[in-house]
Amino acid sequence: MEITTESLLLLAVCFFVIATLYSSVGFGGGSSYLAILTLFVGSFFVIRSVALVCNLMVVSGSTYLYYKNGHFEIKKFMPFVAASIPLAFIGASFRLEEYVFFIILGIALMVSAVLLFTQSLGRKKKSLMQDTKKYPLWVTVILGAGIGFLSGLVGIGGGIFLAPILNHMRWDLSIKIAALASFFILVNSISGISGLIINDMFVFPWKLGLVLLGAVLLGGQLGIRISLHKLSGAGIKILTAILVFIVGLRVLLNNGLGVINF
C-alpha cells in the first residue's frame, strides 16, 4: 500500500482535527477515521485496524483525565462494559465480504452522523437538566452488548452511539456520560483489536500508522482539555456530522452497493 507524502500529511491533519473534536465529547473518532481512510486506503483490514488503534490512543488519555478529575464511576460503568467486551470481540472476529463490510460501515457512519447531529443540537438544553433517571440492569446490558457488537464489526468504539442514547435517556449528567463513552470505547477498541489479531485480520502499516497515531495523540490531548473546561463548540460538531454523513453515503453507494459513482 503506497500513500504519497502529500496524502499522508493531509490524513494527519484530518486525524488531528477529528481527534480534537471527538475527544471533546468523550469519543475516540473511530467513525470519522473510517470515513477518511476509505478515501485513501483500499484494504478494509487496514481501515479497521488503523481506526481501532487510533481510537485506543485517543481514549486512553481521555479516560485517564476523566478519572483524574473525578468523573469516573466504575460501578455504574461496569454493566455496559462487561456486556460489550465479549460482543466486540465476536464482532471483530467476523470475516466479512468486502462489499458487506462497506455496506455496514456506510450505514453505521450515516447513523453515527445523525446521532452526533442531534446530540449537538440538544446539547445546550440537556446540559440544563440536572434530574436523571434510573434504569433496570437489563437495559444497560442490552445497550452495552448491542453497541459492543457493532463496534467490533466495523471498527469503531461505539461511544458515538452510546452517548446520544444515554443523554436522551437522561442516564446521568453529560460529563459522566462522556466519561463512560470514553471508557466504553477504550475497552471495546482493545477487544476489537484482540479479535482481529487472533483471527489474523489485523493489518497495521507502520509508516502510515505511526504518523496518524502521533496526530491523534496531540488532537486527543487538546480535545479532552477543551471538554474539561466546557469549551466545545456545537457548530463544529454539526459540520463534522454533515461531512461524516456524506462520506458514509459515498462509502455505501460506491463500495457497498456500487450503483452510483461520485
Side-chain angles (χ1 to χ4, degrees), residues 1-259:
M1 181 190 64
E2 290 293 331
I3 294 182
T4 65
T5 302
E6 292 78 10
S7 295
L8 185 57
L9 289 174
L10 178 59
L11 272 171
V13 171
C14 290
F15 272 50
F16 171 80
V17 173
I18 291 167
T20 302
L21 171 66
Y22 277 65
S23 61
S24 71
V25 288
F27 302 156
S31 58
S32 287
Y33 301 146
L34 288 166
I36 298 299
L37 285 169
T38 58
L39 304 178
F40 293 87
V41 179
S43 168
F44 65 97
F45 293 123
V46 173
I47 292 171
R48 292 172 77 183
S49 301
V50 172
L52 280 171
V53 174
C54 287
N55 248 358
L56 183 59
M57 174 65 77
V58 173
V59 296
S60 295
S62 299
T63 300
Y64 170 73
L65 288 174
Y66 280 126
Y67 173 80
K68 183 179 178 181
N69 284 270
H71 303 301
F72 199 87
E73 295 186 24
I74 189 65
K75 288 185 178 180
K76 291 191 70 173
F77 294 176
M78 280 311 297
F80 292 99
V81 172
S84 70
I85 291 174
L87 270 297
F89 180 88
I90 292 171
S93 302
F94 275 70
R95 191 176 291 272
L96 300 174
E97 294 289 337
E98 187 168 344
Y99 78 95
V100 175
F101 169 79
F102 280 116
I103 289 174
I104 296 173
L105 173 58
I107 293 172
L109 289 172
M110 293 167 68
V111 172
S112 68
V114 171
L115 290 173
L116 181 60
F117 183 82
T118 55
Q119 183 190 29
S120 300
L121 289 180
R123 183 176 177 85
K124 187 174 295 185
K125 178 181 176 182
K126 290 171 183 173
S127 67
L128 299 176
M129 294 180 179
Q130 297 300 315
D131 57 318
T132 59
K133 294 183 179 180
K134 291 186 177 180
Y135 292 88
L137 180 63
W138 65 267
V139 173
T140 60
V141 170
I142 290 176
L143 274 176
I147 297 174
F149 179 77
L150 179 61
S151 73
L153 195 66
V154 299
I156 60 177
I160 198 168
F161 296 108
L162 183 63
I165 292 172
L166 294 183
N167 273 305
H168 179 73
M169 293 168 60
R170 286 188 282 168
W171 179 79
D172 209 321
L173 300 179
S174 60
I175 191 69
K176 298 286 187 180
I177 293 173
L180 167 59
S182 184
F183 185 51
F184 188 87
I185 295 168
L186 173 67
V187 296
N188 284 312
S189 294
I190 293 173
S191 183
I193 290 169
S194 300
L196 291 178
I197 292 173
I198 290 175
N199 290 277
D200 197 28
M201 293 187 289
F202 183 78
V203 182
F204 190 80
W206 288 103
K207 179 182 177 182
L208 171 67
L210 290 176
V211 170
L212 297 183
L213 281 176
V216 299
L217 173 62
L218 294 174
Q221 289 299 302
L222 174 60
I224 184 58
R225 284 165 173 78
I226 290 174
S227 172
L228 292 171
H229 289 86
K230 305 181 187 301
L231 297 175
S232 57
I236 299 176
K237 296 180 185 65
I238 290 172
L239 175 60
T240 300
I242 293 171
L243 293 175
V244 171
F245 185 89
I246 292 172
V247 176
L249 182 62
R250 180 187 185 279
V251 168
L252 182 63
L253 295 177
N254 281 13
N255 303 94
L257 302 180
V259 176

